[in-house]
Structure formats: structure tokens, C-alpha cells
Amino acid sequence: MPALAGYLAVRMLGLAALWWALGRSWPELWHSLTARYDAGPLLRIAAEGYEGGDVVPSNLAFFPLYPMLVRLIGGAVGVPAAGLIVSWAAGAACAIALYAIGRRLGDARMGTILAVLWGALPHGVTESMAYTETTFTALAAWALFALIGRQWVLAGTLTFFAGLTRPTAMALIAVVGIAAIVELVRLRGRSWQAWVGGAISPLGWLGYIAWVATQTGGIDGWLAVQRGWGASFDGGLYTMRTFAGLLDGQTTLQLMMVSAVLAAAISLVAISAVERIRWELQLYGVLVLLMTVGTAGYYQSKARLLVPAFTLLVPVAMGLARARRGTCVIIITALALVSAWYGAYLLVRAPYSP
């Protein structure tokens, strides 16, 4: 499949650039992919389980599905290798899902471009790390594909598992729930599939939030855990202040890139509306963006938190699919090279974690 081959080629280019930047050291490359930043806590959960609720900052902030999958196969290959196997397999599954969505919205060319664009994001290096980005995005993409095909039970089931993967699942849960309500109103409640899909979609997320509450001794336990990591929801005040502050003082390439990604995401929301992309895809992208912008704390991670907002790339893929083949190849190649170079910069030179 060209979409999967193209996605894998982009990510292999990124890994080659990182390996080169690390002095062509395989041990350093392995360490960067499996032990740096969020990869460390996630794989420790897989190996050792969760800490108590009184630890600050607590690893209860990380949702359980990815560590569970890693632990499931970790006994056979080792936890670090299992982390990469899960992430890379999920990345491939996501590329196939994006191809399917693009083909349904346009044609096979658009689907291929959408998959490759997602792999060539500035923070695409996190798709190759032992992170949850690929696992969650694969579940979200297949859930949205099922949703636009009105496969309600499948969409709800995939959303259930997405809710066990990342807090961003709240955006997906809202889209599935609203779509189910619209369907039930249209059919005057005569669709047991929509009832079931809508009902099961939030249970994974709610179940983990409830479990964290029992571990921390408070109904707002997960929010308390987030505050321990310096994160809270302020409606975007922190993001706007930080964005504006970058114009007044010294900044870094990393902060400039995050700001550029945020500005591009906001622009793509408007373009999606003008192009009349399916409302389910638009709403998902908007909600992921609002959650990202509205959360206070650690500005440097905001571009990475938008990696699951693949629906914002749909109008870009649509435009490139209309372009001449040569023009499309040149643009995507340039994006892939920038992604590879910037991914290496993030893990070798950047002052903050992505």
C-alpha cells in the first residue's frame, strides 16, 4: 500500500536523521526512543505498575492502555522493545486508517497524502518513540472512520479504548456522543446501534478517572494529579500570554515552532470550515485544539499534543491531491526533510522535552 510505504519512509528518514545527529550511535538512538521524557514513566508503569496516589508528580497522569499493551508482550521481547513495537505497529495502523478516511472523502491519492503528511509533522519524531501518540491516534482515526460509516458499535468500542489511552479522548467521546444523538433524533430513537455506541464510548475514560479517584482519595483525583505536573485548564490565558511574551524577549527555535504549529492549526480550522469538511472531523479537530490551547502549563508540549488532531490535515491533503504530481512530491519531500531535521533537533539540541 503506497500510503503505508510512504508513511514508513518518512518515519525511517526521521530515525536516520536522529541516529546521525546522535553520532551514529545505536545505543544512544535506542535510549532516545525508549527512555527519554514521557517514554521513561510509561515504560516504568508497564514494568512496575502505578505509584501511590500521594506521589508528586504521580504517574497516575498516564492512562493505562499503552502500558498494558507493552506489558502484554514485554515478557517475550523486553519492555523497551515492546514499547517500540506497540508504538510502531499503531503508527502503521494509523497510516492505514488515514488512507481509508482520505479515500472516503476524496480518492486513493488523497488518502496516501493524508497518511504521509501525518508522518511528516514537525513533532513526528514522537510517533517513533515509546509514546502514546500513535496508539491513541490510531484508535481515534479508526473510530472516526467507523463513525462516518455509521458503524456505531465499532465507533463506540474504539472510543472506549481510546478513553483508556489519553485524556484527549474527551474530544472523541464528545463527537461520537453528539453524532449518536443526531442519529437518534433523526430516527426517533429507533437505532439500538447508536444507543449502544454512544453509551459505551465514554466508559473507558470514566473508568480510569474513577479508579484514580479511589487511589487519590478525592473525586477530583485526576485533576489533582495534573496539577502536580503543573497543568490545569484556564481557557487559554496561559497559552495566549506565553505566545504574546515570545515577541518581547529571547526565545528558542522550539518555542517558535510550537507557536507556528498553533497558528497553523487555528488557520486549518478555518480552512476546514470553508472547505466544508465533514462536521464530525471538523469538531474532533476543534476540540483537540481547544483542549491543547486551553490547558495551562508547559507550552513546549502543545505542538506534540496536537499530533492526534490529524483531521486538521484534511484540507491540506485535499489541496495537494488537486496539485500536479511533481508539485505534490516536492512539497511532501520538503516537509519530510524538515520533520526529520527538527525531530533530531528536539531530541539532541532542544532545551525542553517535546
Side-chain angles (χ1 to χ4, degrees):
M1 178 184 290
L4 180 57
Y7 171 77
L8 293 177
V10 169
R11 294 306 333 128
M12 290 303 294
L13 177 64
L15 289 176
L18 178 58
W19 172 74
W20 187 271
L22 290 168
R24 296 169 294 284
S25 169
W26 293 107
E28 285 295 323
L29 177 64
W30 183 261
H31 176 77
S32 294
L33 298 178
T34 62
R36 299 284 301 279
Y37 308 125
D38 285 1
L42 283 165
L43 296 188
R44 279 195 294 275
I45 294 170
E48 304 169 8
Y50 283 101
E51 303 162 335
D54 56 346
V55 177
V56 179
S58 172
N59 63 8
L60 289 171
F62 298 95
F63 280 52
L65 182 64
Y66 176 79
M68 288 170 60
L69 293 174
V70 171
R71 176 178 289 187
L72 187 64
I73 62 175
V77 298
V79 167
L84 292 185
I85 290 171
V86 172
S87 292
W88 292 1
C94 187
I96 296 170
L98 297 189
Y99 169 79
I101 290 173
R103 185 173 182 179
R104 174 161 286 184
L105 298 178
D107 54 24
R109 184 182 179 188
M110 180 178 164
T112 299
I113 292 170
L114 183 60
V116 176
L117 281 175
W118 185 69
L121 289 173
H123 288 67
V125 67
T126 59
E127 299 171 22
S128 299
M129 298 174 70
Y131 269 39
T132 61
E133 268 69 19
T134 55
T135 303
F136 174 78
T137 310
L139 289 167
W142 281 114
L144 289 171
F145 179 74
L147 186 65
I148 60 181
R150 293 303 181 258
Q151 296 173 281
W152 296 104
V153 177
L154 179 58
T157 301
L158 292 168
T159 304
F160 169 89
F161 287 110
L164 291 170
T165 310
R166 288 177 70 92
T168 318
M170 287 188 288
L172 183 63
I173 291 166
V175 173
V176 173
I178 292 170
I181 291 171
V182 170
E183 180 77 353
L184 290 169
V185 169
R186 185 179 71 86
L187 298 178
R188 299 181 181 179
R190 295 192 297 271
S191 173
W192 68 265
Q193 295 96 334
W195 278 110
V196 172
I200 64 176
S201 62
L203 297 183
W205 185 87
L206 289 173
Y208 183 66
I209 296 300
W211 183 77
V212 172
T214 66
Q215 299 301 301
T216 57
I219 193 170
D220 65 339
W222 191 80
L223 294 176
V225 168
Q226 286 294 95
R227 289 192 292 270
W229 285 87
S232 61
F233 191 84
D234 70 350
L237 294 177
Y238 165 84
T239 302
M240 289 186 288
R241 289 195 194 103
T242 306
F243 185 90
L246 296 179
L247 302 176
D248 299 329
Q250 285 189 328
T251 186
T252 65
L253 173 61
Q254 187 177 11
L255 293 176
M256 291 170 62
M257 181 64 83
V258 170
S259 300
V261 169
L262 289 174
I266 293 170
S267 300
L268 289 172
V269 165
I271 294 171
S272 295
V274 171
E275 293 290 340
R276 297 183 180 180
I277 306 301
R278 288 192 66 113
W279 71 265
E280 300 96 332
L281 304 181
Q282 285 192 58
L283 181 58
Y284 171 76
V286 167
L287 292 177
V288 173
L289 178 60
L290 288 176
M291 290 177 64
T292 301
V293 171
T295 301
Y298 205 68
Y299 188 81
Q300 295 81 5
S301 70
K302 293 193 179 297
R304 173 176 62 84
L305 296 177
L306 285 175
V307 167
F310 67 91
T311 55
L312 298 180
L313 297 172
V314 168
V316 182
M318 187 179 294
L320 288 175
R322 297 169 183 159
R324 292 180 180 273
R325 187 175 298 275
T327 301
C328 181
V329 169
I330 291 170
I331 291 174
I332 290 179
T333 300
L335 291 174
L337 290 171
V338 170
S339 175
W341 174 83
Y342 186 67
Y345 167 80
L346 281 175
L347 294 186
V348 178
R349 299 293 182 189
Y352 309 103
S353 66

